[in-house]
Amino acid sequence: MGIKVAVGYDGSDPSKLALRWAAEYALQAGAVLHIVHAWIWPLFTHDVGPVRGVADSGLRHAAEAIVSEGVELARGIWPEVEIQASMDPGLPAEVLRTESSDADLIVVGNRGLGGFLGKLVGSVSVSLAGACPCPLVVVRAGHGEGKPVVACVDTQVRSSKVLEQSVRVARLLRTKLRIVHVEQPTSAWGRHVPPQSHARDVLHHAMLLVQELDPGLAVTEELLSSHAVPSALVGAGAEAELLVLGAHRREGHAGIAATVLAHARCNVMIAR
């Protein structure tokens, strides 16, 4: 089975930006691009057909038009990419979580439709960050030449996934990699805080893994010191193409990832 990149599309400007990013990534990865539209109206009404006597009307037609628009937009950007499209009934986070079961990457905009619908569906990106089984990219900006991929590592096993996926994206987007680790200098709650030498070891082992994965990749490392890990990560990604962090979660909650997603100014990947 080939690689599949699924992107949520609702016709909003953020979803168009996500579609462009996903299409470029799919092209570089040789992947199938699957455009997914979550059609919420069947949850609330059975009257989705056309208005009698009015051509091209009705909720179903409107949703089909959104899907067609997404397909044409993707084809106009990268005609070489193989495209699939689907219109699935349900709330966006639930539909995309289902799609993620056989996708290699899920891509969404940083927010979808506003107003009543936006309040109804809530934050799709935060919901997926806590429950999506495959890597997730939340897009805020188009591809920027020369901007690095920033890999955020810690002492947990998940850091290997962060590094593997950061190397892959940096290679595909033909950019450099920057590895960062946040050291908390003190603890107000009396918890044990690793010494700086341990933090340096974390970066050293991360560098060794990256060099093993791709010896030719341009890579740098940086040790950050901050009491607030999410704020430090947001700052580290200020000028990044992509900020990659692990799925910091417990019992389905996104944790640090949710805070970073709310405040980051760059694209964010939740690695898995």
Side-chain angles (χ1 to χ4, degrees), residues 7-210:
V7 56
Y9 186 77
D10 62 12
S12 65
D13 288 342
S15 74
K16 291 177 180 178
L17 194 61
L19 180 58
R20 293 186 179 97
W21 194 95
E24 180 171 0
Y25 183 91
L27 176 70
Q28 300 302 331
V32 173
L33 178 66
H34 184 193
I35 301 171
V36 182
H37 177 61
W39 187 30
I40 70 168
W41 292 116
L43 301 178
F44 307 104
T45 179
H46 296 294
D47 187 14
V48 296
V51 177
R52 182 174 298 178
V54 181
D56 298 332
S57 63
L59 296 171
R60 179 183 294 277
H61 176 78
E64 290 171 345
I66 290 174
V67 174
S68 296
E69 175 192 74
V71 170
E72 291 306 311
L73 178 60
R75 284 178 177 159
I77 300 169
W78 298 114
E80 308 95 323
V81 175
E82 181 182 348
I83 299 172
Q84 300 174 351
S86 64
M87 185 176 80
D88 304 321
L91 295 175
E94 295 172 359
V95 168
L96 289 168
R97 190 180 303 118
T98 299
E99 291 292 342
S100 69
S101 63
D102 67 346
D104 297 276
L105 180 69
I106 290 284
V107 182
V108 297
N110 68 310
R111 65 182 185 279
L113 296 171
F116 168 75
L117 290 181
K119 293 178 181 178
L120 177 68
V121 302
S123 175
V124 174
S125 60
V126 171
S127 178
L128 290 173
C132 181
C134 74
L136 167 73
V137 171
V138 180
V139 176
R140 278 186 168 80
H143 177 54
E145 292 293 335
K147 290 186 175 182
V149 171
V150 177
C152 308
V153 298
D154 55 23
T155 58
Q156 305 300 316
V157 174
R158 60 177 167 254
S159 285
S160 63
K161 290 293 184 183
V162 168
L163 292 168
E164 290 167 8
Q165 291 166 28
S166 297
V167 167
R168 176 175 175 78
V169 176
R171 185 190 302 129
L172 288 174
L173 299 183
R174 298 182 176 88
T175 191
K176 55 194 174 184
L177 177 65
R178 177 181 167 217
I179 305 171
V180 300
H181 173 60
V182 181
E183 176 194 36
Q184 293 179 284
T186 59
S187 174
W189 296 276
R191 295 177 300 185
H192 172 68
V193 178
Q196 190 176 81
S197 60
H198 177 74
R200 290 291 180 189
D201 286 342
V202 171
L203 285 174
H204 176 69
H205 290 305
M207 285 288 287
L208 291 178
L209 178 56
V210 169

Side-chain angles (χ1 to χ4, degrees), residues 224-245:
L224 306 176
S225 180
S226 175
H227 295 283
V229 173
S231 296
L233 297 181
V234 169
E239 299 298 328
E241 165 70 27
L242 188 69
L243 183 69
V244 186
L245 57 152

